[in-house]
Amino acid sequence: EVQLVESGGGLVQPGGSLKLSCAASGFTFSDSAIHWVRQASGEGLEWVGRIRSKGNNYATAYAASVKGRFTVSRDDSKNTAYLQMNSLKTEDTAVYYCTRGSNTPTDYWGQGTLVTVSS
Amino acid sequence: QLVLTQSPSASASLGASVKLTCTLSSGHSSYAIAWHQQQPEKGPRYLMKLNSDGSHIKGDGIPDRFSGSSSGAERYLTISSLQSDDEADYYCQTWDTGIVIFGGGTKLTVL
């Protein structure tokens, strides 16, 4: 069974940093891209960024709203992906989901972790 | 610019069928999309990948009541024999090199 479990969310002040983790199981993690998607309360889904597999040179891509502030990485030995978030803004407050990319960018979703940016 | 357009809301009666629409922006009518369901207070769930020719690949455990079809730049999600737990937000999604786009979502009410 494919499982994605996010962790690391919490309350952080504007301008601060936070690192989210996404622990994966039930599939060959090293062959899969991992995407991050967020959802502010009452709003729609917004793609944040992704990291591809080693075979695709660990290529990363980001939404314009987070480029230069957020970094996606992965540790295939731990079946875990990460989202490093720096220079956080109040508008980054959202539930953050990690997803598996296969024949589409998001064929499995985690349960999400809440990030609140507030003073 | 790659954009997906969805109607904000739809409604249909219990046991009936409903067809939700997702429209690709001009010049992107050949793109595949994915449909996702998000029930109230839950995370999203992948429903299917839908190609421009109407062929689709459903996610694990998605019932036969859910089907997809395509016409030009339009992508459709049809839900038949509506049940109360089909009441949810439905999002379409597409992608290109280095970018992933979601539609604004359609809130489906089951009457």
Side-chain angles (χ1 to χ4, degrees):
Chain A
E1 179 192 6
V2 172
Q3 282 199 321
L4 298 160
V5 179
E6 302 92 339
S7 61
L11 176 63
V12 60
Q13 291 189 337
S17 297
L18 204 60
K19 187 173 185 177
L20 307 183
S21 299
C22 169
S25 60
F27 64 100
T28 305
F29 180 80
S30 58
D31 289 344
S32 298
I34 297 295
H35 294 249
W36 289 90
V37 177
R38 68 185 181 183
Q39 185 174 36
S41 180
E43 302 295 324
L45 301 170
E46 180 189 15
W47 178 74
V48 172
R50 62 93 165 127
I51 185 166
R52 300 183 77 181
S53 64
K54 181 179 181 181
N56 288 289
N57 300 313
Y58 298 125
T60 57
Y62 300 94
S65 58
V66 307
K67 197 168 188 178
R69 300 188 299 122
F70 289 14
T71 302
V72 182
S73 62
R74 63 192 295 159
D75 184 339
D76 289 346
S77 69
K78 295 182 178 179
N79 283 1
T80 300
Y82 304 97
L83 179 64
Q84 175 68 47
M85 304 183 292
N86 298 331
S87 303
L88 281 161
K89 305 175 182 179
T90 55
E91 53 262 43
D92 295 319
T93 295
V95 175
Y96 285 73
Y97 299 96
C98 66
T99 76
R100 185 185 81 163
S102 179
N103 61 333
T104 77
T106 48
D107 66 352
Y108 283 94
W109 296 75
Q111 86 290 347
T113 188
L114 176 62
V115 172
T116 302
V117 184
S118 174
S119 53
Chain B
Q1 186 182 2
L2 184 56
V3 175
L4 294 172
T5 302
Q6 298 183 254
S7 296
S9 63
S11 63
S13 299
L14 201 64
S17 294
V18 68
K19 191 174 187 179
L20 306 182
T21 303
C22 173
T23 304
L24 286 150
S25 47
S26 177
H28 300 100
S29 61
S30 66
Y31 281 50
I33 71 157
W35 283 104
H36 303 273
Q37 177 196 60
Q38 187 175 29
Q39 294 171 320
E41 306 307 317
K42 290 190 174 181
R45 177 175 71 151
Y46 168 74
L47 295 177
M48 68 181 70
K49 178 186 179 183
L50 176 58
N51 295 314
S52 59
D53 63 0
S55 61
H56 53 280
I57 304 171
K58 288 196 278 190
D60 293 342
I62 303 303
D64 291 343
R65 303 186 298 107
F66 291 82
S67 63
S69 58
S70 298
S71 177
E74 311 265 286
R75 305 286 181 266
Y76 305 106
L77 174 68
T78 299
I79 312 170
S80 58
S81 302
L82 274 168
Q83 301 177 359
S84 57
D85 64 358
D86 295 329
E87 186 160 290
D89 294 324
Y90 291 84
Y91 294 92
C92 58
Q93 172 202 44
T94 193
W95 53 93
D96 204 339
T97 304
I99 190 168
V100 175
I101 299 292
F102 287 93
T106 296
K107 186 176 190 65
L108 174 63
T109 300
V110 178
L111 304 171

